[in-house]
Structure formats: structure tokens, C-alpha cells
Amino acid sequence: MVPEPLRDIIPPEIFHRARVYELHKMELFIWKNIIDLIVSLLELYFGFYPFVWGLAASTLAPLTRRELWISLIFVFYLTIYISLRCLPILIYDKCILELRYGTHRRFPCYMYLLMGLLCIILAQIILAPLTLLIVFSVQIMGFFFFLYFWLMWAAFTLFLVFFLPYLCVPCIGVQRRLPSGSPLYADVQVVCDQTGFPMNRVFIIQTKSMQYSNAYFYGSCCLKRIVIFDTLLLNKGQPVTQLQPYEIGRGLTNPQVVAVVAHELGHWKSGHFYKATLIMKLHFLLTMVLFGLFFHCPYLYEAVGFAPGVWPIIVGFLIVLRFALTPYLTLANFLMLWNLRRFEYAADRFAHRLGYSLLLRSALMKIYADHMSFPVYDTCYARWHHTHPTILQRLAYQQKLDEEAYFRA
């Protein structure tokens, strides 16, 4: 059944189609994880990684015994194996799930074979230089290579803070400051003046082909900015005659856009950008320290089947990331997703304090009505997979804030 808060905006037939698609996707997800678990156990039991490494070494034995070049052949064999490993999942999807859920096949079978071949070729183009870079870097940097990796990543993220708006935004569309004198400018100025956010840091992006409605806060100090996608505006802020038929009626009214901006201002006021950046840097530092400890542990290589004293660098990267770090990364992912959802609730609470509760709720429902994604998720599933609360959770949270405000009054 369509949830009560959404019955006025989602027809039952669309809800049913979205539900069928979600069931298809979830069953495929479960099947993929079961297959991955079984195959991973078999790989460890039968010594798969030493076998592939030995195969790569024997292939190059007449030419060289250097680890750098053996690693290249090892990755080549591994990508072919991974492509073949995906076949049971693809067969289950096409031969069982599509019949069960009545979804239509998008491509003929030979197209999937061609796409698999293309993936192998593209993987080689990307992974070959990356493999050479990893092996060469570890050989040059020595024992504490993982700390150098962390420092380079930290410097790279700082670079992104400064230059991301100039490097990535042009791929989405044309960014400019919100034009002064427009009705939207006057409405947004009210909430920005209320919170002390400078209007010259509010931007709008004229998208090229994106249909997703969005706005976000980004940056710090003089680089901070709130960016509004034109798809968030009613009819993209353009005359109806300039729109495609499916674009007419999509988007929010100006008061609803202001409520979304109030939510983004909540991220700014709460310092979420700084907190998220610090948490990510600490998380990556801890990941690299644990990585270094496991990488230099000889028992880990022996546990997967290598002879004592054989520590291939690229294999070490694979088994540490795929097996040894899994418990920590799983827990860290859960905690970081929880924290991101906490940030979203805090921003919603800030917008509520500014008096935008009803407008924010109507904006959320209108955005949902424009895109019609499936709204019902199990609470435990959402905690493990979602960066944002679901629309039902956000609507319920606004209702809770309204009730608390009423009883306080």
C-alpha cells in the first residue's frame, strides 16, 4: 500500500511498478552477495591468489622475474577471472529474475558479451598504469609507504576544496551567481540575512542534461557557497515555451526553494563541512595505519597460500583491502552513514527553527513527486546503506519537531 503521507502524490500503479523494480534489485543484490561469499571462501581454501601469481610468473619466466612486470600480468589474468565470475549473477538476473518480475530485457545476449569484452579492455587501460604506479611507489617509499599515501591523499583533497567548483561544475552546466533583482533573489536574501550568509556566495547552475533536483552547500571561509540547480526551480525558471513537455510543472515554487536553502544553511551553521572533512581524514589515516600493519604481516600471505617469504605487493593490496580490513571498513561505513544522516536531521532542525517546517515538507514531497523513487525501506537496511534519511523519515521528523514545538508553547 502507498504510505499515508504520500497517497496524494503517488498513484498506486506507479508505486506498484517501483515496488516490483525494487524487489528485483534487492533479490539480485542478495544473490550477488551469496555468490561472492561462496566464491571468496573457495578462493581462500584452494589458494587462488598464489595460483594466479604463479601463472603470471611462469608466463614471464623466459623474459623477466621482476615483480613489477609480473604484477601487470597478474592483474590482467585477474580482470578476466572477475569478468567470468560475474556470469552466474548475470544468468540469474536474465533467466530467473526477469521472468519472475516481468521486467523486459534491455539488450540481446550478444550485447552483454560485447559489453563484458569492452569492460575487460577498459579495465586494462586503467589498471595497468595504476598497478605499475602502486608497485613502483611501494618499492621506492619503503616500509612507511602508507603514510606517504595518506599525505598525498590529504593534499589532493585540499586541492579539491579549492578547485572542485572550477573543475567539476562545468561538466554539469554553467554556474553563475543568483541574479540580483529577481523574485527568487529577494526571497533567498531574507533567510540569508537572517543567518548572516553572504548573498554573493549563492549560485545557480544552468544544467545541460541533468533532471535531478538538487541544492548543496560546499566549501569554507571565502570559498563557501550554496549552489542551486535550475532543475530545483519551477519549470527550471524559464518560460514554458522553452521547455520539453516532461519538464513542465517540475520543480519548486520560490518559497519552497527558500526552505531548501534554509536546510543548506543549517549545514553551514553547524559546521558540517569541517566536521565531515576532519572525520574523513581521520578515517583514512586509521585505514592506512591498519593497512600498513596488515600489509607487512607475513602470516596474512601464508594464510592465503603463499610460501614463506613471498610477499607480492599488488596481491598484498588486494587481500588486505578485500579481507583483512573488511571488519573495520564495515563498521566505519556504518558509523559514517549514521553521522551523515545525523547531519541531515540537524539541517532539517535548523530549517524548522527558522520557521520553514511546512514549506520544507511540501518541498520534499514535490521533489519526490517529480522523481517517483520507491519510498519504503526497512529501517536496518536504511541504516546500513543510506546517506540521507528516507522521505518518510524526514516527514515524520518534521512532524515530531512540530509536536515538540507545540507542547513547549
Side-chain angles (χ1 to χ4, degrees), residues 238-259:
Q238 299 178 8
V240 175
T241 54
Q242 298 181 14
L243 301 176
Q244 299 293 331
Y246 64 87
E247 294 176 326
I248 298 174
R250 294 169 68 102
L252 309 180
T253 62
N254 285 358
Q256 291 172 329
V257 174
V258 174

Side-chain angles (χ1 to χ4, degrees), residues 323-332:
F323 300 111
L325 283 180
T326 297
Y328 166 72
L329 292 177
T330 301
L331 177 62

Side-chain angles (χ1 to χ4, degrees), residues 65 75 92 99 111 146 155 175 207 214 224 265 336 347 369:
R65 292 188 177 275
V75 170
Y92 185 78
L99 294 175
M111 284 298 295
F146 52 92
Q175 180 176 272
T207 57
N214 194 20
K224 63 179 177 288
L265 287 169
M336 286 191 291

Side-chain angles (χ1 to χ4, degrees), residues 378-392:
D378 180 80
T379 303
C380 291
Y381 178 86
R383 287 172 179 168
W384 279 93
H385 295 91
H386 289 180
T387 59
H388 287 59
T390 66
I391 181 172
L392 294 175

Side-chain angles (χ1 to χ4, degrees), residues 347-388:
D348 282 353
R349 187 166 59 249
F350 182 83
H352 182 276
R353 286 204 301 267
L354 294 179
Y356 290 96
S357 176
L358 292 176
L359 285 171
L360 183 59
R361 269 189 279 185
S362 65
L364 290 172
M365 287 191 287
K366 183 60 168 64
I367 292 172
Y368 174 79
D370 288 343
H371 299 283
M372 289 295 180
S373 57
F374 190 66
V376 181
Y377 290 93
D378 180 80
T379 303
C380 291
Y381 178 86
R383 287 172 179 168
W384 279 93
H385 295 91
H386 289 180
T387 59
H388 287 59

